Amino acid sequence: MACIFCRIVAGEIPAEVVLREPDVVAFLDIQPLADGHVVVVPRAHVALLEELEPAAAEALFRAVVRLARPVREALGAAGTTIGVNNGEATGQTIPHVHVHIVPRREGDGAGSVHTIFPRGARRPLGEVGEAIRRAAGGLT
Ligand code: AMP
Ligand code: ZN
């Protein structure tokens, strides 16, 4: 098994595990962006969020919600940034879905998710909304 996260889930390589459930494992990031930086992973090896089975997706996000407060409180943080690099083009380095929970403090020097994108001209919202609704099979 080559995937690092599959190996952590299987207990083959060590990690500082903070939650272990039937479908989800959460552990400290080995190169934390802040103290208490946790990654939450499904047992199922899929690269992208949209490849998760519904039950695995539910278990994953239930675990993220369950951990958000303890991670924040344990580190005395003011909030958490919760994010997913979803695909290689986004900077995802390990092709096994994982949700980052990063404790945040006032003045920690990190930005919001808005700061990772350049500002610029955008297509009209109505046009883009229509394209997404069509791709999603008629969402309203
Ligand atoms: P991403 O860039 O979204 O794919 O994030 C992958 C994360 O996994 C990075 O923040 C790494 O520091 C973290 N990571 C890589 N190997 C390990 C490991 N063995 N144990 C814990 N975290 C890891
Ligand atoms: Zn994997």
Side-chain angles (χ1 to χ4, degrees):
M1 185 191 314
C3 171
I4 291 172
F5 286 174
C6 282
R7 296 186 68 193
I8 290 174
V9 166
E12 287 179 14
I13 59 174
E16 189 63 37
V17 172
V18 296
L19 179 77
R20 191 181 287 282
E21 292 182 341
D23 295 322
V24 180
V25 177
F27 48 90
L28 295 186
D29 195 294
I30 204 166
Q31 290 187 293
L33 297 171
D35 287 335
H37 179 175
V38 166
V39 283
V40 190
V41 309
R43 279 183 193 274
H45 176 93
V46 294
L48 303 177
L49 268 182
E50 54 267 42
E51 293 169 345
L52 278 174
E53 295 295 334
E58 285 169 20
L60 176 65
F61 278 91
R62 253 199 315 272
V64 170
V65 170
R66 176 154 176 234
L67 282 166
R69 186 191 302 275
V71 167
R72 176 168 56 75
E73 289 184 350
L75 277 300
T80 48
T81 291
I82 297 179
V84 178
N85 291 322
N86 196 38
E88 196 178 351
T90 71
Q92 183 180 5
T93 57
I94 297 187
H96 181 137
V97 170
H98 49 284
V99 180
H100 297 265
I101 304 178
V102 187
R104 297 292 305 272
R105 299 176 180 282
E106 294 275 348
D108 63 12
S112 77
V113 291
H114 297 278
T115 61
I116 65 177
F117 295 94
R119 302 269 174 197
R122 295 284 183 255
R123 289 164 59 189
L125 297 189
E127 177 188 315
V128 175
E130 178 56 26
I132 294 172
R133 285 189 293 274
R134 208 176 316 119
L139 289 182
T140 53

